[in-house]
Short mmCIF file of all heavy atoms in Angstrom, two decimals:
data_model
loop_
_atom_site.label_atom_id
_atom_site.label_comp_id
_atom_site.label_asym_id
_atom_site.label_seq_id
_atom_site.Cartn_x
_atom_site.Cartn_y
_atom_site.Cartn_z
N VAL Q 5 -2.62 6.20 -1.02
CA VAL Q 5 -3.91 5.57 -0.84
C VAL Q 5 -4.25 5.36 0.62
O VAL Q 5 -5.26 4.74 0.94
CB VAL Q 5 -4.05 4.25 -1.65
CG1 VAL Q 5 -3.97 4.51 -3.11
CG2 VAL Q 5 -3.01 3.23 -1.17
N ILE Q 6 -3.49 5.90 1.52
CA ILE Q 6 -3.79 5.78 2.94
C ILE Q 6 -4.85 6.82 3.26
O ILE Q 6 -4.62 7.98 3.13
CB ILE Q 6 -2.52 6.00 3.81
CG1 ILE Q 6 -1.48 4.90 3.53
CG2 ILE Q 6 -2.89 5.97 5.32
CD1 ILE Q 6 -0.21 5.12 4.24
N THR Q 7 -5.97 6.35 3.75
CA THR Q 7 -7.06 7.26 4.11
C THR Q 7 -7.03 7.57 5.61
O THR Q 7 -6.36 6.85 6.39
CB THR Q 7 -8.41 6.59 3.80
OG1 THR Q 7 -8.57 5.44 4.63
CG2 THR Q 7 -8.48 6.20 2.31
N SER Q 8 -7.76 8.56 5.99
CA SER Q 8 -7.85 8.90 7.41
C SER Q 8 -8.47 7.75 8.19
O SER Q 8 -8.15 7.51 9.34
CB SER Q 8 -8.60 10.23 7.61
OG SER Q 8 -9.91 10.09 7.12
N GLU Q 9 -9.37 7.03 7.56
CA GLU Q 9 -9.97 5.86 8.18
C GLU Q 9 -8.96 4.79 8.46
O GLU Q 9 -8.96 4.17 9.53
CB GLU Q 9 -11.13 5.33 7.29
CG GLU Q 9 -11.93 4.26 7.98
CD GLU Q 9 -12.74 4.74 9.19
OE1 GLU Q 9 -13.06 5.98 9.24
OE2 GLU Q 9 -13.07 3.92 10.04
N THR Q 10 -8.04 4.55 7.51
CA THR Q 10 -6.98 3.56 7.72
C THR Q 10 -6.10 3.97 8.87
O THR Q 10 -5.78 3.14 9.74
CB THR Q 10 -6.14 3.43 6.43
OG1 THR Q 10 -6.95 3.00 5.34
CG2 THR Q 10 -4.99 2.48 6.59
N ILE Q 11 -5.73 5.23 8.91
CA ILE Q 11 -4.89 5.72 10.02
C ILE Q 11 -5.62 5.60 11.33
O ILE Q 11 -5.03 5.14 12.34
CB ILE Q 11 -4.44 7.18 9.77
CG1 ILE Q 11 -3.50 7.18 8.55
CG2 ILE Q 11 -3.79 7.77 11.00
CD1 ILE Q 11 -3.13 8.59 8.09
N LYS Q 12 -6.88 5.91 11.36
CA LYS Q 12 -7.68 5.77 12.58
C LYS Q 12 -7.73 4.35 13.08
O LYS Q 12 -7.56 4.03 14.21
CB LYS Q 12 -9.14 6.31 12.32
CG LYS Q 12 -10.03 6.25 13.49
CD LYS Q 12 -11.40 6.79 13.15
CE LYS Q 12 -12.38 6.54 14.25
NZ LYS Q 12 -13.76 6.95 13.85
N ASN Q 13 -7.94 3.40 12.12
CA ASN Q 13 -7.98 1.96 12.50
C ASN Q 13 -6.59 1.49 12.99
O ASN Q 13 -6.51 0.75 13.96
CB ASN Q 13 -8.43 1.14 11.25
CG ASN Q 13 -9.87 1.34 10.94
OD1 ASN Q 13 -10.69 1.79 11.74
ND2 ASN Q 13 -10.23 1.06 9.72
N MET Q 14 -5.55 1.96 12.32
CA MET Q 14 -4.21 1.55 12.74
C MET Q 14 -3.89 2.10 14.14
O MET Q 14 -3.25 1.47 14.94
CB MET Q 14 -3.16 1.99 11.72
CG MET Q 14 -3.30 1.34 10.32
SD MET Q 14 -3.33 -0.46 10.41
CE MET Q 14 -1.79 -0.76 11.21
N ARG Q 15 -4.30 3.31 14.39
CA ARG Q 15 -4.04 3.95 15.72
C ARG Q 15 -4.79 3.17 16.79
O ARG Q 15 -4.22 2.92 17.87
CB ARG Q 15 -4.47 5.41 15.76
CG ARG Q 15 -4.09 6.02 17.10
CD ARG Q 15 -4.04 7.51 17.13
NE ARG Q 15 -3.16 8.14 16.21
CZ ARG Q 15 -1.83 8.37 16.42
NH1 ARG Q 15 -1.24 7.92 17.48
NH2 ARG Q 15 -1.13 9.00 15.53
N SER Q 16 -6.01 2.71 16.48
CA SER Q 16 -6.75 1.89 17.46
C SER Q 16 -6.02 0.58 17.79
O SER Q 16 -5.94 0.14 18.94
CB SER Q 16 -8.13 1.57 16.93
OG SER Q 16 -8.89 2.74 16.83
N ILE Q 17 -5.50 -0.06 16.73
CA ILE Q 17 -4.73 -1.26 16.96
C ILE Q 17 -3.51 -1.01 17.77
O ILE Q 17 -3.17 -1.69 18.71
CB ILE Q 17 -4.35 -1.91 15.61
CG1 ILE Q 17 -5.62 -2.40 14.86
CG2 ILE Q 17 -3.36 -3.07 15.77
CD1 ILE Q 17 -5.42 -2.76 13.41
N PHE Q 18 -2.77 0.06 17.41
CA PHE Q 18 -1.55 0.45 18.14
C PHE Q 18 -1.84 0.67 19.59
O PHE Q 18 -1.19 0.13 20.46
CB PHE Q 18 -0.96 1.70 17.49
CG PHE Q 18 0.31 2.17 18.10
CD1 PHE Q 18 1.53 1.67 17.67
CD2 PHE Q 18 0.31 3.14 19.12
CE1 PHE Q 18 2.73 2.13 18.23
CE2 PHE Q 18 1.51 3.57 19.68
CZ PHE Q 18 2.71 3.04 19.26
N ILE Q 19 -2.87 1.45 19.88
CA ILE Q 19 -3.25 1.78 21.25
C ILE Q 19 -3.60 0.52 22.07
O ILE Q 19 -3.29 0.38 23.22
CB ILE Q 19 -4.39 2.85 21.30
CG1 ILE Q 19 -3.80 4.20 20.84
CG2 ILE Q 19 -5.02 2.95 22.67
CD1 ILE Q 19 -4.88 5.25 20.58
N SER Q 20 -4.27 -0.42 21.37
CA SER Q 20 -4.67 -1.67 22.06
C SER Q 20 -3.48 -2.50 22.51
O SER Q 20 -3.61 -3.20 23.48
CB SER Q 20 -5.61 -2.49 21.18
OG SER Q 20 -4.88 -3.14 20.13
N TYR Q 21 -2.34 -2.29 21.87
CA TYR Q 21 -1.12 -3.07 22.28
C TYR Q 21 -0.23 -2.22 23.20
O TYR Q 21 0.66 -2.74 23.83
CB TYR Q 21 -0.37 -3.54 21.05
CG TYR Q 21 -1.08 -4.71 20.42
CD1 TYR Q 21 -1.91 -4.49 19.33
CD2 TYR Q 21 -0.95 -6.00 20.91
CE1 TYR Q 21 -2.60 -5.56 18.75
CE2 TYR Q 21 -1.60 -7.05 20.35
CZ TYR Q 21 -2.45 -6.85 19.29
OH TYR Q 21 -3.16 -7.88 18.72
#
Side-chain angles (χ1 to χ4, degrees):
V5 296
I6 296 174
T7 64
S8 60
E9 188 66 24
T10 299
I11 292 172
K12 182 180 171 185
N13 291 339
M14 295 306 303
R15 184 161 302 277
S16 293
I17 293 167
F18 182 87
I19 290 169
S20 74
Y21 287 96

